């Protein structure tokens, strides 16, 4: 009985995984449905998050702008500069990408991760509810959970109908 096995080279295993699933990893990144549900989720997420990113990156809507936000994140909150930069980029460029449905999974992941970190490190101590009446120390986590839910739809489903991802995915077929 021969028990020897061979291990495919990296190029062989790449083509094996593509043929086994029928779709390349790049095509899988852009793949999406022709459904309105991911479209609605990504547009809602883009509209809700863009003002937060514009506050941080541009100083719009009463924000501190890029330098002020970087300073606040690194000096006051002790966030390493790389992570502070990535948070600003995710909240500013992520909604723009989501608006067009371009790299929707990546953009949704960035936004969802940023909001999840903010929730766990800055808002869980304030309970569940938002501070509607100004009678608690800060905002609770309900807004964050909604944003994370919308982001997960984007990560799982892609851009959906009317997305650049769908156009690219069709070209990669």
């Amino acid at each position: 009985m021969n028990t020897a096995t061979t291990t495919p080279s990296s190029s062989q295993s790449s083509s094996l995984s593509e043929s086994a699933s029928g779709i390349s990893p790049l095509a899988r990144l852009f793949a999406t449905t022709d459904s309105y549900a991911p479209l609605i989720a990504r547009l809602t997420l883009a509209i809700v998050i863009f003002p937060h990113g514009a506050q941080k990156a541009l100083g719009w809507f009463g924000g501190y702008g890029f330098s002020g936000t970087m300073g606040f994140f690194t000096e006051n909150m002790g966030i390493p500069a790389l992570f502070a930069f990535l948070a600003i980029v995710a909240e500013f460029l992520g909604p723009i990408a989501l608006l067009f449905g371009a790299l929707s999974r990546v953009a949704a992941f960035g936004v969802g991760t940023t909001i999840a970190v903010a929730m766990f490190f800055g808002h869980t101590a304030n309970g569940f509810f938002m501070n509607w009446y100004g009678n608690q120390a800060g905002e609770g986590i309900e807004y964050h959970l909604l944003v994370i839910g919308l982001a997960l739809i984007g990560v799982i489903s892609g851009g959906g109908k009317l997305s650049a991802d769908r156009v690219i995915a069709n070209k990669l077929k």
Side-chain angles (χ1 to χ4, degrees):
M1 172 182 257
N2 184 354
T3 59
T5 60
T6 59
T7 305
S9 69
S10 63
S11 63
Q12 287 173 323
S13 63
S14 172
S15 63
L16 287 174
S17 65
E18 286 179 26
S19 64
S21 67
I23 187 170
S24 73
L26 183 61
R28 194 173 296 154
L29 177 68
F30 291 103
T32 188
T33 66
D34 192 26
S35 172
Y36 284 102
L39 167 68
I40 293 166
R42 76 176 162 82
L43 291 180
T44 303
L45 187 58
I47 290 166
V48 168
I49 295 298
F50 180 78
H52 294 277
Q55 286 178 318
K56 292 171 179 70
L58 305 174
W60 293 2
F61 309 108
Y64 298 115
F66 183 79
S67 297
T69 303
M70 282 294 291
F72 180 77
F73 281 177
T74 57
E75 295 164 21
N76 294 13
M77 297 181 74
I79 298 171
L82 174 64
F83 294 126
F85 174 77
L86 290 173
I88 294 168
V89 168
E91 283 192 39
F92 181 65
L93 296 180
I96 295 169
L98 288 168
L99 181 67
F100 295 103
L103 287 170
S104 300
R105 284 186 167 88
V106 174
F109 179 79
V111 168
T113 300
T114 300
I115 297 301
V117 169
M119 181 181 80
F120 284 114
F121 289 101
H123 296 273
T124 53
N126 299 321
F128 179 78
F129 295 102
M130 292 181 65
N131 194 9
W132 292 107
Y133 304 108
N135 57 4
Q136 59 192 48
E139 299 294 340
I141 63 169
E142 69 179 321
Y143 165 81
H144 302 81
L145 291 173
L146 290 170
V147 169
I148 292 166
L150 289 171
L152 283 172
I153 292 169
V155 170
I156 294 166
S157 300
K161 198 166 201 61
L162 302 175
S163 67
D165 289 347
R166 186 160 168 71
V167 173
I168 294 167
N170 287 335
K171 290 184 187 271
L172 291 173
K173 284 184 182 178

